[in-house]
Amino acid sequence: WNAAAVTLADISEDAHDLSRLNASRLGLDRVRFLRSDLLDRVEGSFDLIVSNPPYIPSAEIATLSREVRQDPQSALDGGADGLDLVRRLLGDCRPFLHPQGRLALELHHDQSQRVAELAEKLGYRAIEIRSDWSGIPRFVLATAPEPSPLAD
């Protein structure tokens, strides 16, 4: 892992503080911390983009455990169906992925199929749904869409 160059982008300074601590504990040197709303301030292209965006539907937040509700609202609330930021990320990250680059998303327990369908509509390839240790399908992996031919 030390050979990898990593960019961590998050809008939350608290998230960056925790990430800095973890990177230090792991002895990771090539980590860049960028305060950004999703990819707004990100530059370059990547082999892998991993995201755990806010994905809880707004109406469900009040039903979460007290421990989970201690997280900032912005880290939880994904809008009416939980997919507001996921939709934005699917559209925004395409130009940041190398041609064979992969996108990996962690999602709510019932969103993987819908997100896989959204990714397919946007041209992502080799879409996979993976389960967590409890067997719940919570991850979508997808390869970048084919690059568009340049217009003359």
Side-chain angles (χ1 to χ4, degrees):
W1 288 104
N2 260 343
V6 176
T7 298
L8 299 176
D10 202 296
I11 199 165
S12 165
E13 196 56 42
D14 288 341
H16 281 299
D17 290 344
L18 182 57
S19 295
R20 282 184 190 92
L21 177 63
N22 287 336
S24 174
R25 286 178 176 167
L26 293 170
L28 302 177
D29 301 335
R30 298 180 63 200
V31 179
R32 183 176 133 203
F33 299 90
L34 182 62
R35 184 126 187 229
S36 180
D37 182 10
L38 292 181
L39 300 169
D40 287 350
R41 297 188 61 223
V42 173
E43 296 176 355
S45 58
F46 301 88
D47 294 318
L48 177 65
I49 295 175
V50 178
S51 182
N52 178 8
Y55 54 68
I56 306 294
S58 301
E60 289 184 28
I61 290 176
T63 68
L64 298 172
S65 70
R66 185 171 20 155
E67 178 182 275
V68 172
R69 286 186 317 222
Q70 289 179 7
D71 285 347
Q73 181 89 2
S74 62
L76 302 172
D77 194 343
D81 67 354
L83 297 177
D84 286 358
L85 271 81
V86 172
R87 280 188 200 87
R88 190 173 137 209
L89 185 62
L90 283 169
D92 289 355
C93 79
R94 292 179 295 173
F96 293 96
L97 286 168
H98 288 138
Q100 294 301 315
R102 298 281 280 169
L103 172 64
L105 298 169
E106 179 181 350
L107 304 160
H108 201 30
H109 65 89
D110 62 352
Q111 296 171 334
S112 294
Q113 187 60 46
R114 283 185 289 164
V115 171
E117 291 166 5
L118 289 169
E120 184 176 26
K121 286 179 184 174
L122 290 170
Y124 286 88
R125 304 168 287 136
I127 299 167
E128 302 172 52
I129 295 174
R130 299 277 180 98
S131 296
D132 64 14
W133 294 112
S134 299
I136 299 167
R138 297 211 26 210
F139 305 99
V140 170
L141 307 173
T143 299
E146 289 289 338
S148 308
L150 295 175
D152 291 329

